[in-house]
Amino acid sequence: GNNAFRYCTSLTNVMIGSSVTSIGDGAFYLCTSLTNVIIPNSVTSIGNEAFSQCSSLSNVTIPNNTTSIGDDAFYWCIGLTNVTIGSSVTSIGNEAFSSCTSLSSVTIGSSVTSIGERAFEACKSLISVTIPNSVTDVGVYAFSSCTTLSSVIIGSNVTSIQNGAFYVCTSLTNVTIGSSVTSIGYRAFCWCTSLANITIPNGVTNIGNEAFYYCTSLTSIMVDVFNPAYSSLDGVLFNKNQTTLIKYPESKAGSYTIPSNVTSIGYRAFSECTGLTNVMIGSSVASIGDYAFYDSRHLIGVYFRGNAPSLGSSAFWYIDINAKV
């Protein structure tokens, strides 16, 4: 039942009988000495906070008959190193494994359809993740601050990568985005400082602000040639008609001439582009978005071929005071 062994801080081992079908909310909450628990196949649900803050628990296998893992179920289980999620689990709750700082390996079952908000946030030892094809939604900040995560494969049925899903994954170098993704949320890959290139699938119709902000190693953002909403030229991301420049890769160095058909430069389009030295802006550009050149600290010249466009808030904030504009 709920809270059955809550705060049993000296409890070290538990054998759960084969007739038990559910583990209630907070059942083993803060059992800080619990090192081993065997969950039988009869268990179909694991409640909210069921094993939350069981800091000595090292390995967990979610049986194949379990269908749901509750919110915060294994939150702050800082000794947990391996998790295998059974083949019948359909949902991983919000913050289910958040702050499991020793978790280095997780196998997500083939029936999981949703990964909750912050489900694996701050799992700082997690190296790679394969999101199975059964998953349709990767929740808000689901893998944020997984600072050793280097490789992610996003399954072919995922339709949405939510806001901040991989925020501050500073070791992320390889991302494969599934073909069904239509939306990449606000700050989805923000501060992924090791990410060098990324390809946007042809189904994506929405990319949120700061999706690739402060990706300081990014040199190329590519799109499928048939993408209905975006295009890429020389690694720079534009809308389909190339009238709006959306994102210039931050590590792309040297000078850049904006194509003549561009009419607007988007929000943070050139922000943090520390290798950029000169920009030539065509006569068709009528507006420059907020923070467009924010902290492009090595920029020494911005040149306009036409009339001065309208400027967004802090468009040239934190550039060299000696830069020519």
Side-chain angles (χ1 to χ4, degrees), residues 190-302:
C190 180
W191 280 82
C192 291
T193 53
S194 298
L195 190 63
N197 52 73
I198 193 163
T199 299
I200 311 298
N202 63 2
V204 173
T205 57
N206 179 64
I207 298 175
N209 287 340
E210 300 187 30
F212 304 105
Y213 174 62
Y214 212 75
C215 293
T216 52
S217 297
L218 195 63
T219 58
S220 176
I221 304 171
M222 299 300 294
V223 296
D224 190 289
V225 67
F226 298 112
N227 190 290
Y230 299 100
S231 61
S232 178
L233 183 65
D234 296 328
V236 181
L237 185 66
F238 298 87
N239 67 338
K240 187 62 179 178
N241 298 329
Q242 295 186 359
T243 56
T244 300
L245 193 154
I246 296 169
K247 185 60 181 171
Y248 186 88
E250 286 161 2
S251 250
K252 200 172 174 72
S255 300
Y256 182 66
T257 298
I258 294 174
S260 59
N261 53 324
V262 171
T263 59
S264 64
I265 296 172
Y267 171 83
R268 289 193 186 271
F270 291 92
S271 67
E272 312 280 355
C273 292
T274 54
L276 189 64
T277 55
N278 291 278
V279 175
M280 181 69 74
I281 297 177
S283 58
S284 298
V285 173
S287 65
I288 296 177
D290 295 350
Y291 299 95
F293 291 91
Y294 172 82
D295 203 17
S296 291
R297 62 193 67 180
H298 295 136
L299 195 61
I300 58 173
V302 180

Side-chain angles (χ1 to χ4, degrees), residues 19-320:
S19 295
V20 173
T21 58
S22 65
I23 299 173
D25 294 349
F28 297 93
Y29 179 87
L30 213 74
C31 291
T32 53
S33 298
L34 186 62
T35 59
N36 184 49
V37 61
I38 297 174
I39 303 173
N41 283 328
S42 56
V43 170
T44 59
S45 66
I46 298 172
N48 299 336
E49 297 186 329
F51 296 92
S52 179
Q53 299 185 64
C54 291
S55 54
S56 298
L57 195 62
S58 59
N59 292 282
V60 169
T61 297
I62 311 297
N64 286 332
N65 288 330
T66 301
T67 59
S68 64
I69 301 171
D71 295 348
D72 300 285
F74 296 91
Y75 171 77
W76 216 74
C77 289
I78 58 175
L80 193 61
T81 58
N82 296 282
V83 171
T84 299
I85 297 173
S87 58
S88 295
V89 172
T90 58
S91 63
I92 299 172
N94 298 337
E95 299 188 81
F97 297 93
S98 177
S99 299
C100 292
T101 54
S102 298
L103 186 62
S104 59
S105 174
V106 60
T107 301
I108 299 174
S110 58
S111 294
V112 172
T113 59
S114 66
I115 298 174
E117 295 181 11
R118 303 181 189 272
F120 295 92
E121 182 180 42
C123 291
K124 296 181 183 296
S125 299
L126 196 60
I127 297 170
S128 65
V129 169
T130 297
I131 298 172
N133 292 336
S134 56
V135 173
T136 59
D137 185 66
V138 179
V140 172
Y141 294 96
F143 294 92
S144 67
S145 299
C146 291
T147 52
T148 60
L149 186 63
S150 62
S151 176
V152 173
I153 297 174
I154 298 172
S156 60
N157 287 316
V158 172
T159 59
S160 177
I161 300 172
Q162 299 279 11
N163 296 349
F166 298 95
Y167 177 73
V168 197
C169 290
T170 53
S171 298
L172 190 60
T173 56
N174 296 293
V175 176
T176 301
I177 300 177
S179 57
S180 296
V181 170
T182 60
S183 175
I184 298 173
Y186 168 76
R187 289 192 170 184
F189 295 95
C190 180
W191 280 82
C192 291
T193 53
S194 298
L195 190 63
N197 52 73
I198 193 163
T199 299
I200 311 298
N202 63 2
V204 173
T205 57
N206 179 64
I207 298 175
N209 287 340
E210 300 187 30
F212 304 105
Y213 174 62
Y214 212 75
C215 293
T216 52
S217 297
L218 195 63
T219 58
S220 176
I221 304 171
M222 299 300 294
V223 296
D224 190 289
V225 67
F226 298 112
N227 190 290
Y230 299 100
S231 61
S232 178
L233 183 65
D234 296 328
V236 181
L237 185 66
F238 298 87
N239 67 338
K240 187 62 179 178
N241 298 329
Q242 295 186 359
T243 56
T244 300
L245 193 154
I246 296 169
K247 185 60 181 171
Y248 186 88
E250 286 161 2
S251 250
K252 200 172 174 72
S255 300
Y256 182 66
T257 298
I258 294 174
S260 59
N261 53 324
V262 171
T263 59
S264 64
I265 296 172
Y267 171 83
R268 289 193 186 271
F270 291 92
S271 67
E272 312 280 355
C273 292
T274 54
L276 189 64
T277 55
N278 291 278
V279 175
M280 181 69 74
I281 297 177
S283 58
S284 298
V285 173
S287 65
I288 296 177
D290 295 350
Y291 299 95
F293 291 91
Y294 172 82
D295 203 17
S296 291
R297 62 193 67 180
H298 295 136
L299 195 61
I300 58 173
V302 180
Y303 306 99
F304 298 89
R305 286 178 167 163
N307 295 326
S310 64
L311 291 182
S313 173
S314 304
F316 292 97
W317 205 17
Y318 285 135
I319 67 168
D320 190 326

